[in-house]
Short mmCIF file of all heavy atoms in Angstrom, two decimals:
data_model
loop_
_atom_site.label_atom_id
_atom_site.label_comp_id
_atom_site.label_asym_id
_atom_site.label_seq_id
_atom_site.Cartn_x
_atom_site.Cartn_y
_atom_site.Cartn_z
N ASP A 259 -56.46 183.64 100.64
CA ASP A 259 -57.91 183.52 100.79
C ASP A 259 -58.58 184.68 100.08
O ASP A 259 -59.71 184.51 99.47
CB ASP A 259 -58.22 183.58 102.32
CG ASP A 259 -57.85 182.32 103.03
OD1 ASP A 259 -57.64 181.34 102.41
OD2 ASP A 259 -57.84 182.39 104.27
N GLN A 260 -58.02 185.81 100.11
CA GLN A 260 -58.67 187.02 99.52
C GLN A 260 -58.66 186.90 98.01
O GLN A 260 -59.55 187.17 97.34
CB GLN A 260 -58.07 188.28 99.96
CG GLN A 260 -58.19 188.68 101.38
CD GLN A 260 -59.69 189.02 101.75
OE1 GLN A 260 -60.39 189.44 100.96
NE2 GLN A 260 -59.92 188.94 103.07
N VAL A 261 -57.60 186.34 97.48
CA VAL A 261 -57.50 186.16 96.04
C VAL A 261 -58.44 185.11 95.53
O VAL A 261 -59.21 185.15 94.60
CB VAL A 261 -56.06 185.72 95.63
CG1 VAL A 261 -56.03 185.24 94.10
CG2 VAL A 261 -55.11 186.87 95.82
N ARG A 262 -58.77 184.07 96.37
CA ARG A 262 -59.58 183.06 96.05
C ARG A 262 -61.03 183.56 95.99
O ARG A 262 -61.86 183.30 95.09
CB ARG A 262 -59.65 181.89 97.05
CG ARG A 262 -58.40 180.87 96.75
CD ARG A 262 -58.66 179.58 97.55
NE ARG A 262 -58.43 179.74 98.89
CZ ARG A 262 -57.27 179.72 99.47
NH1 ARG A 262 -56.19 179.40 98.83
NH2 ARG A 262 -57.06 179.88 100.83
N ARG A 263 -61.29 184.53 97.03
CA ARG A 263 -62.60 185.18 97.08
C ARG A 263 -62.98 186.06 95.89
O ARG A 263 -63.99 186.06 95.24
CB ARG A 263 -62.79 185.82 98.34
CG ARG A 263 -62.86 185.10 99.54
CD ARG A 263 -63.14 185.83 100.87
NE ARG A 263 -63.13 185.06 102.08
CZ ARG A 263 -62.10 185.33 102.95
NH1 ARG A 263 -61.16 186.33 102.77
NH2 ARG A 263 -62.00 184.52 104.02
N ALA A 264 -61.82 186.85 95.45
CA ALA A 264 -61.92 187.79 94.48
C ALA A 264 -62.16 187.10 93.15
O ALA A 264 -63.04 187.39 92.27
CB ALA A 264 -60.66 188.57 94.38
N THR A 265 -61.44 185.98 92.84
CA THR A 265 -61.54 185.36 91.54
C THR A 265 -62.79 184.53 91.50
O THR A 265 -63.38 184.43 90.36
CB THR A 265 -60.27 184.34 91.35
OG1 THR A 265 -60.18 183.46 92.52
CG2 THR A 265 -59.05 185.15 91.22
N GLY A 266 -63.34 184.06 92.64
CA GLY A 266 -64.62 183.47 92.60
C GLY A 266 -65.71 184.30 92.21
O GLY A 266 -66.67 184.05 91.38
N LEU A 267 -65.64 185.56 92.67
CA LEU A 267 -66.77 186.58 92.40
C LEU A 267 -66.55 187.08 90.89
O LEU A 267 -67.49 187.36 90.27
CB LEU A 267 -66.56 187.82 93.31
CG LEU A 267 -67.05 187.65 94.74
CD1 LEU A 267 -66.58 188.85 95.62
CD2 LEU A 267 -68.55 187.44 94.80
N ILE A 268 -65.31 187.06 90.49
CA ILE A 268 -65.07 187.68 89.05
C ILE A 268 -65.64 186.47 88.06
O ILE A 268 -66.21 186.72 87.10
CB ILE A 268 -63.59 187.89 88.90
CG1 ILE A 268 -63.08 189.13 89.56
CG2 ILE A 268 -63.20 187.91 87.39
CD1 ILE A 268 -61.59 189.19 89.59
N ASP A 269 -65.42 185.17 88.52
CA ASP A 269 -65.86 184.13 87.57
C ASP A 269 -67.33 184.14 87.53
O ASP A 269 -67.98 183.68 86.44
CB ASP A 269 -65.29 182.78 88.15
CG ASP A 269 -63.81 182.60 87.91
OD1 ASP A 269 -63.18 183.34 87.10
OD2 ASP A 269 -63.21 181.63 88.55
N GLU A 270 -68.08 184.48 88.60
CA GLU A 270 -69.53 184.61 88.54
C GLU A 270 -70.00 185.58 87.75
O GLU A 270 -71.03 185.58 87.04
CB GLU A 270 -70.11 184.77 90.05
CG GLU A 270 -69.94 183.56 90.94
CD GLU A 270 -70.24 183.84 92.40
OE1 GLU A 270 -70.81 184.96 92.62
OE2 GLU A 270 -70.08 183.11 93.20
N LEU A 271 -69.25 186.68 87.53
CA LEU A 271 -69.54 187.90 86.64
C LEU A 271 -69.28 187.56 85.18
O LEU A 271 -69.84 188.17 84.31
CB LEU A 271 -68.70 189.15 86.98
CG LEU A 271 -69.29 189.79 88.29
CD1 LEU A 271 -68.16 190.80 88.82
CD2 LEU A 271 -70.45 190.72 87.88
N ARG A 272 -68.38 186.61 84.76
CA ARG A 272 -67.85 186.57 83.59
C ARG A 272 -68.91 186.30 82.43
O ARG A 272 -68.78 186.80 81.39
CB ARG A 272 -66.75 185.48 83.42
CG ARG A 272 -65.73 185.73 82.42
CD ARG A 272 -64.61 184.56 82.56
NE ARG A 272 -63.79 184.75 83.61
CZ ARG A 272 -62.86 185.79 83.83
NH1 ARG A 272 -62.65 186.60 82.83
NH2 ARG A 272 -62.23 185.92 84.97
N PRO A 273 -69.81 185.39 82.78
CA PRO A 273 -70.90 185.17 81.67
C PRO A 273 -71.74 186.53 81.25
O PRO A 273 -72.04 186.58 80.20
CB PRO A 273 -71.87 184.22 82.27
CG PRO A 273 -70.99 183.46 83.33
CD PRO A 273 -70.14 184.55 83.96
N ASP A 274 -71.85 187.33 82.27
CA ASP A 274 -72.67 188.55 82.01
C ASP A 274 -71.86 189.73 81.60
O ASP A 274 -72.35 190.54 80.66
CB ASP A 274 -73.46 188.99 83.29
CG ASP A 274 -74.41 187.79 83.82
OD1 ASP A 274 -75.16 187.35 82.87
OD2 ASP A 274 -74.36 187.53 85.00
N VAL A 275 -70.67 189.85 82.09
CA VAL A 275 -69.82 191.12 81.65
C VAL A 275 -68.41 190.59 81.56
O VAL A 275 -67.54 190.89 82.37
CB VAL A 275 -69.96 192.21 82.75
CG1 VAL A 275 -71.14 193.01 82.59
CG2 VAL A 275 -69.89 191.59 84.20
N PRO A 276 -68.20 189.94 80.41
CA PRO A 276 -66.83 189.27 80.22
C PRO A 276 -65.66 190.33 80.25
O PRO A 276 -64.66 189.97 80.71
CB PRO A 276 -66.94 188.49 78.91
CG PRO A 276 -68.14 189.09 78.25
CD PRO A 276 -69.09 189.59 79.32
#
Side-chain angles (χ1 to χ4, degrees):
D259 288 343
Q260 293 295 335
V261 169
R262 280 192 292 271
R263 294 187 188 111
T265 54
L267 289 168
I268 292 169
D269 287 343
E270 291 174 6
L271 280 163
R272 205 173 298 279
D274 298 313
V275 279

